[in-house]
Amino acid sequence: MPYLYFFFNKIFYMRAKLIAANWKMNGSFALIDSMQKVLSPILEKTTCEVVICPPDVLLSSMNNTVKGSRIAVGAQNVHSETSGAFTGETSAPLLQECGVQWCIVGHSERRMLFGETDEFIRSKTETLLKHGIRPILCIGETLEQRESGNHEEVVVSQLGKGLSGLAAEDQLRCVVAYEPIWAIGTGVTATSKKAQEIHAFIRTIISEKFGNEIAENTSILYGGSCNPNNAKDLFTQKDIDGGLIGGASLKADDFLSIINSF
Ligand code: PEP
């Protein structure tokens, strides 16, 4: 596997190309089947890792469908506690039983619509790591914050709080997704130049916190209206290692051409 290396019996993760689909509250059992059929031939040839994060009720079935293929199962959310009276929530051990290898945390919709704080997001990250699930930590600014020039400050704060206290090897298991809120689901994409600038900035912040080797081996994804037309331009930027794809991941052909953009 290109993503791992072993040193003194510890597993280290290397920077990898990754495309993750965030289906949000969309998708179906049928969509899992058609994704598997459409993507399978290309996945044998690509070096890009592909993760699909459907709604929780589809996870177990998806795990059975994609077992043995190069599609990894991801979740969109998790609770920080591992069991208890948390009606409607899902625990990391249960996700693990469903074959989940990745989980999105800190998505702007969870922050804004469900009031999730950086501290709660940080505790979810820790729980996921304890259960062998790799977090995809989403960060990104609102339009007002971008227009008032505060976007770097926002990103530093979300990143610092989301990753605080992690051991270096745990940081290597996390992927960061930069998702400017003004670009999510709006059809407005950050230009590749703007996206590259902030991705390079994020890598510098990770380097200051964890050192250059960790920063160079951390995958940083772009998310926000990424589609078959703009994917190539974004993915050829030096510090953009892939994408977190919402709307365009719901059509197998679009998702396939985004993967093919690498
Ligand atoms: C998302 O919600 O993570 C996302 C990137 O959505 P979209 O691609 O639809 O903008």
Side-chain angles (χ1 to χ4, degrees), residues 22 24 107 109 179 183-185 223-226 244-247:
N22 175 12
K24 312 193 186 193
H107 193 280
E109 285 153 17
E179 298 206 306
I184 295 181
S225 296
C226 184
L244 180 54
I245 319 295

mmCIF file of all heavy atoms in Angstrom, residues 22 24 107 109 179 183-185 223-226 244-247, ligand 1:
data_model
loop_
_atom_site.group_PDB
_atom_site.id
_atom_site.type_symbol
_atom_site.label_atom_id
_atom_site.label_comp_id
_atom_site.label_asym_id
_atom_site.label_seq_id
_atom_site.Cartn_x
_atom_site.Cartn_y
_atom_site.Cartn_z
ATOM 1 N N ASN A 22 -19.226 12.876 0.155
ATOM 2 C CA ASN A 22 -20.119 13.150 1.285
ATOM 3 C C ASN A 22 -21.545 13.203 0.726
ATOM 4 O O ASN A 22 -21.944 14.200 0.132
ATOM 5 C CB ASN A 22 -19.736 14.496 1.924
ATOM 6 C CG ASN A 22 -20.700 14.896 3.032
ATOM 7 O OD1 ASN A 22 -21.516 14.089 3.473
ATOM 8 N ND2 ASN A 22 -20.609 16.142 3.482
ATOM 9 N N LYS A 24 -24.226 13.330 2.361
ATOM 10 C CA LYS A 24 -25.153 14.053 3.267
ATOM 11 C C LYS A 24 -26.418 13.215 3.455
ATOM 12 O O LYS A 24 -26.323 11.989 3.528
ATOM 13 C CB LYS A 24 -25.456 15.450 2.710
ATOM 14 C CG LYS A 24 -24.189 16.185 2.286
ATOM 15 C CD LYS A 24 -24.408 17.634 2.031
ATOM 16 C CE LYS A 24 -23.130 18.234 1.481
ATOM 17 N NZ LYS A 24 -23.135 19.679 1.484
ATOM 18 N N HIS A 107 -17.845 19.035 9.937
ATOM 19 C CA HIS A 107 -18.422 19.611 8.718
ATOM 20 C C HIS A 107 -19.175 20.889 9.087
ATOM 21 O O HIS A 107 -19.811 20.968 10.141
ATOM 22 C CB HIS A 107 -19.366 18.602 8.039
ATOM 23 C CG HIS A 107 -19.739 19.018 6.656
ATOM 24 N ND1 HIS A 107 -20.719 19.959 6.414
ATOM 25 C CD2 HIS A 107 -19.252 18.664 5.444
ATOM 26 C CE1 HIS A 107 -20.815 20.151 5.105
ATOM 27 N NE2 HIS A 107 -19.936 19.376 4.497
ATOM 28 N N GLU A 109 -21.889 22.051 8.156
ATOM 29 C CA GLU A 109 -23.332 21.864 8.428
ATOM 30 C C GLU A 109 -23.546 21.371 9.854
ATOM 31 O O GLU A 109 -24.519 21.747 10.515
ATOM 32 C CB GLU A 109 -23.934 20.894 7.398
ATOM 33 C CG GLU A 109 -24.098 21.585 6.044
ATOM 34 C CD GLU A 109 -24.047 20.664 4.835
ATOM 35 O OE1 GLU A 109 -24.203 19.438 4.985
ATOM 36 O OE2 GLU A 109 -23.824 21.179 3.720
ATOM 37 N N GLU A 179 -12.800 23.492 3.525
ATOM 38 C CA GLU A 179 -14.071 23.705 2.828
ATOM 39 C C GLU A 179 -14.593 25.103 3.137
ATOM 40 O O GLU A 179 -15.243 25.317 4.167
ATOM 41 C CB GLU A 179 -15.103 22.685 3.310
ATOM 42 C CG GLU A 179 -14.741 21.252 3.035
ATOM 43 C CD GLU A 179 -15.992 20.379 2.922
ATOM 44 O OE1 GLU A 179 -16.820 20.387 3.842
ATOM 45 O OE2 GLU A 179 -16.138 19.725 1.889
ATOM 46 N N ALA A 183 -18.442 28.231 -0.517
ATOM 47 C CA ALA A 183 -18.341 27.420 -1.745
ATOM 48 C C ALA A 183 -19.140 26.120 -1.638
ATOM 49 O O ALA A 183 -19.288 25.420 -2.637
ATOM 50 C CB ALA A 183 -16.874 27.098 -2.027
ATOM 51 N N ILE A 184 -19.660 25.803 -0.455
ATOM 52 C CA ILE A 184 -20.327 24.506 -0.288
ATOM 53 C C ILE A 184 -21.750 24.552 -0.828
ATOM 54 O O ILE A 184 -22.580 25.341 -0.365
ATOM 55 C CB ILE A 184 -20.343 24.073 1.195
ATOM 56 C CG1 ILE A 184 -18.906 23.834 1.669
ATOM 57 C CG2 ILE A 184 -21.178 22.812 1.395
ATOM 58 C CD1 ILE A 184 -18.786 23.394 3.092
ATOM 59 N N GLY A 185 -22.004 23.737 -1.827
ATOM 60 C CA GLY A 185 -23.351 23.617 -2.392
ATOM 61 C C GLY A 185 -23.831 24.863 -3.116
ATOM 62 O O GLY A 185 -25.012 24.984 -3.425
ATOM 63 N N GLY A 223 -12.787 21.073 -0.506
ATOM 64 C CA GLY A 223 -14.220 20.795 -0.673
ATOM 65 C C GLY A 223 -14.990 22.078 -0.892
ATOM 66 O O GLY A 223 -14.702 23.114 -0.280
ATOM 67 N N GLY A 224 -15.980 22.034 -1.775
ATOM 68 C CA GLY A 224 -16.813 23.210 -2.050
ATOM 69 C C GLY A 224 -17.051 23.330 -3.537
ATOM 70 O O GLY A 224 -16.205 23.856 -4.266
ATOM 71 N N SER A 225 -18.196 22.765 -4.000
ATOM 72 C CA SER A 225 -18.589 22.836 -5.413
ATOM 73 C C SER A 225 -17.514 22.299 -6.357
ATOM 74 O O SER A 225 -17.351 22.817 -7.468
ATOM 75 C CB SER A 225 -18.997 24.266 -5.786
ATOM 76 O OG SER A 225 -20.144 24.638 -5.061
ATOM 77 N N CYS A 226 -16.800 21.298 -5.928
ATOM 78 C CA CYS A 226 -15.839 20.638 -6.813
ATOM 79 C C CYS A 226 -16.649 19.774 -7.785
ATOM 80 O O CYS A 226 -17.595 19.097 -7.379
ATOM 81 C CB CYS A 226 -14.898 19.784 -5.969
ATOM 82 S SG CYS A 226 -13.601 19.017 -6.926
ATOM 83 N N LEU A 244 -13.130 16.609 -1.036
ATOM 84 C CA LEU A 244 -14.328 16.121 -0.350
ATOM 85 C C LEU A 244 -15.484 16.633 -1.214
ATOM 86 O O LEU A 244 -15.649 17.842 -1.396
ATOM 87 C CB LEU A 244 -14.392 16.676 1.082
ATOM 88 C CG LEU A 244 -15.586 16.253 1.941
ATOM 89 C CD1 LEU A 244 -15.726 14.737 2.016
ATOM 90 C CD2 LEU A 244 -15.445 16.804 3.364
ATOM 91 N N ILE A 245 -16.235 15.694 -1.762
ATOM 92 C CA ILE A 245 -17.187 16.045 -2.810
ATOM 93 C C ILE A 245 -18.611 15.817 -2.324
ATOM 94 O O ILE A 245 -18.959 14.700 -1.907
ATOM 95 C CB ILE A 245 -16.960 15.158 -4.083
ATOM 96 C CG1 ILE A 245 -15.452 14.952 -4.382
ATOM 97 C CG2 ILE A 245 -17.709 15.713 -5.290
ATOM 98 C CD1 ILE A 245 -14.683 16.177 -4.755
ATOM 99 N N GLY A 246 -19.434 16.858 -2.372
ATOM 100 C CA GLY A 246 -20.842 16.729 -1.963
ATOM 101 C C GLY A 246 -21.708 16.403 -3.163
ATOM 102 O O GLY A 246 -21.781 15.267 -3.629
ATOM 103 N N GLY A 247 -22.388 17.418 -3.705
ATOM 104 C CA GLY A 247 -23.362 17.243 -4.786
ATOM 105 C C GLY A 247 -22.880 16.360 -5.932
ATOM 106 O O GLY A 247 -23.596 15.466 -6.392
HETATM 107 C C1 PEP B 1 -19.554 19.227 1.289
HETATM 108 O O1 PEP B 1 -20.644 19.455 1.789
HETATM 109 O O2 PEP B 1 -18.665 18.649 1.939
HETATM 110 C C2 PEP B 1 -19.320 19.671 -0.087
HETATM 111 C C3 PEP B 1 -18.093 19.802 -0.504
HETATM 112 O O3 PEP B 1 -20.457 19.937 -0.842
HETATM 113 P P1 PEP B 1 -20.506 20.402 -2.377
HETATM 114 O O4 PEP B 1 -19.490 19.617 -3.137
HETATM 115 O O5 PEP B 1 -21.902 20.085 -2.800
HETATM 116 O O6 PEP B 1 -20.218 21.861 -2.389
#
